[in-house]
Amino acid sequence: MPTLFWLVDAEVRDAVSQLEAAGGVRRAEAEVDAEALADAHARHAAERDRRIPAGHSGPRPSGGVGGTRRGVKCLHAHLAWFLAGGDDPVGAWTAGELVLDLSDFTVGPSPGC
């Protein structure tokens, strides 16, 4: 599975769905620098791949954010990685479109971990 981070806040998740339904994926792809996006996919893949144990013999995920190697597939995946601290220009674009107050989001271990 290529997805490493997930949006769990229902309001944010629904707002991203509405943005996607209104053409947000195409807009993000047109407005975000293609080279910066390609770099983000490479960083995401490297971060994900570092988490795979050395002796893993099962299927390996491929692609970058949302499993794609180029372009924008899923604003949810980009925003989730951005909110988790990832350097993702599409996640930043999405947060800006939704006018999210980033101080409302914190990154840290889950309770009980």
Side-chain angles (χ1 to χ4, degrees):
M1 176 170 16
T3 302
L4 187 57
F5 300 101
W6 297 82
L7 289 177
V8 296
D9 182 284
E11 282 185 44
V12 173
R13 197 173 54 238
D14 291 348
V16 175
S17 293
Q18 291 174 359
L19 179 59
E20 284 186 347
V25 169
R26 283 188 303 278
R27 286 184 38 229
E29 203 160 51
E31 295 178 23
V32 171
D33 179 73
E35 187 172 325
L37 178 54
D39 290 345
H41 281 306
R43 283 190 305 276
H44 185 274
E47 181 177 340
R48 180 200 60 230
D49 291 350
R50 277 193 302 274
R51 295 170 185 244
I52 298 173
H56 178 73
S57 62
R60 297 185 76 80
S62 61
V65 182
T68 190
R69 288 181 173 81
R70 59 185 167 81
V72 179
K73 176 180 174 186
C74 174
L75 297 179
H76 297 83
H78 284 277
L79 181 60
W81 183 41
F82 174 75
L83 292 175
D87 182 12
D88 187 329
V90 174
W93 179 90
T94 303
E97 288 295 305
L98 298 178
V99 194
L100 293 181
D101 179 355
L102 298 181
S103 68
D104 289 342
F105 300 89
T106 58
V107 177
S110 299
C113 287

